[in-house]
Amino acid sequence: MKNIAIFASGTGSNAKKIVAHFRDNTAINVALIVSNKPTAKVLDMANDNNIPTLIINRADFYKSTSILDDLEKYQIDFIALAGFLWLIPAYLVKAFPNKMINIHPALLPKYGGKGMYGHHVHKAVCKNKETESGITLHYVNEHYDEGNIIFQATCPIAPTDTPTDIAGNVLKLEHYYFPRILQSLLSDS
Ligand code: GRF
């Protein structure tokens, strides 16, 4: 059995898709949901699905390595960042070499980096009159959105599309591909 931890701090719509995708899988299991926000909706989803949760705080995350003990306790093999905004510290990157991925709602290397998340991304894409956007799944390193790219998928942008329209189309791609790419990476490793 391979155990995934999902790190998420928002609504958790991606996390929910991942949980549903692996629900009946006997080889891959979502074993833990980690969040830095005690009120994040993703935690309700975890509770509804009887998945253990871990709330982390900034001081412990950056000034200790205690999360490694938690990840070991749940025998975590792989980490999926799904709407987790904190930079991942070096000790955690080292502990999960090529075993931690993030999804970004644009076609990296464009529209990435600190502050480029959620609506900020789609607004910038729209402002620049891009004709397409999409998703990037990439390995995580110590820099925002800079790890090696694993997979991208695109969606067209019509001249009349608003940032909200773009966000909706990108989210559809995320929901479809994130669980499937995770499955293929976990089946190969
Ligand atoms: C997604 O757009 C993802 O690309 C980004 O954060 C958002 C999370 O959305 N990293 P949700 O919480 O899964 O709905």
Side-chain angles (χ1 to χ4, degrees):
M1 178 65 86
K2 297 261 177 68
N3 288 321
I4 305 173
I6 302 176
F7 285 34
S9 299
T11 320
S13 69
N14 277 284
K16 192 173 177 179
K17 292 285 176 189
I18 294 167
V19 166
H21 183 85
F22 290 113
R23 186 170 291 130
D24 299 321
N25 192 307
T26 51
I28 301 170
N29 175 45
V30 177
L32 182 67
I33 306 268
V34 177
S35 182
N36 62 301
K37 250 199 198 165
T39 55
K41 279 202 184 137
V42 69
L43 296 171
D44 298 333
M45 186 280 294
N47 291 332
D48 291 346
N49 286 279
N50 297 315
I51 300 171
T53 59
L54 175 70
I55 316 273
I56 55 172
N57 69 65
R58 195 173 272 278
D60 285 347
F61 193 55
Y62 290 109
K63 298 209 165 90
S64 81
T65 58
S66 62
I67 194 170
L68 295 181
D69 297 333
D70 295 300
L71 297 173
E72 198 178 319
K73 177 175 152 201
Y74 290 100
Q75 301 182 314
I76 300 302
D77 302 291
F78 207 95
I79 296 175
L81 308 185
F84 184 76
L85 299 184
W86 288 0
L87 194 64
I88 300 299
Y91 73 82
L92 190 50
V93 174
K94 282 205 188 86
F96 287 84
N98 283 347
K99 290 186 185 309
M100 177 163 25
I101 68 172
N102 178 48
I103 191 157
H104 186 78
L107 299 170
L108 292 174
K110 288 169 100 175
Y111 305 106
K114 194 170 163 51
M116 270 297 180
Y117 61 89
H119 222 57
H120 301 290
V121 174
H122 306 300
K123 265 191 188 158
V125 167
C126 192
K127 197 172 164 215
N128 284 349
K129 302 193 189 317
E130 297 283 357
T131 55
E132 63 172 18
S133 190
I135 60 168
T136 303
L137 283 142
H138 64 92
Y139 288 111
V140 174
N141 67 16
E142 296 97 313
H143 307 282
Y144 278 117
D145 303 322
E146 285 184 14
N148 288 343
I149 292 174
I150 301 161
F151 174 85
Q152 293 185 305
T154 62
C155 55
I157 301 176
T160 51
D161 278 352
T162 63
T164 306
D165 295 325
I166 300 169
N169 290 331
V170 168
L171 197 62
K172 276 185 211 147
L173 290 177
E174 295 190 27
H175 289 169
Y176 181 80
Y177 285 110
F178 203 174
R180 286 165 178 81
I181 297 297
L182 264 175
Q183 179 159 6
S184 81
L185 292 172
L186 279 154
S187 307
D188 289 349
S189 63

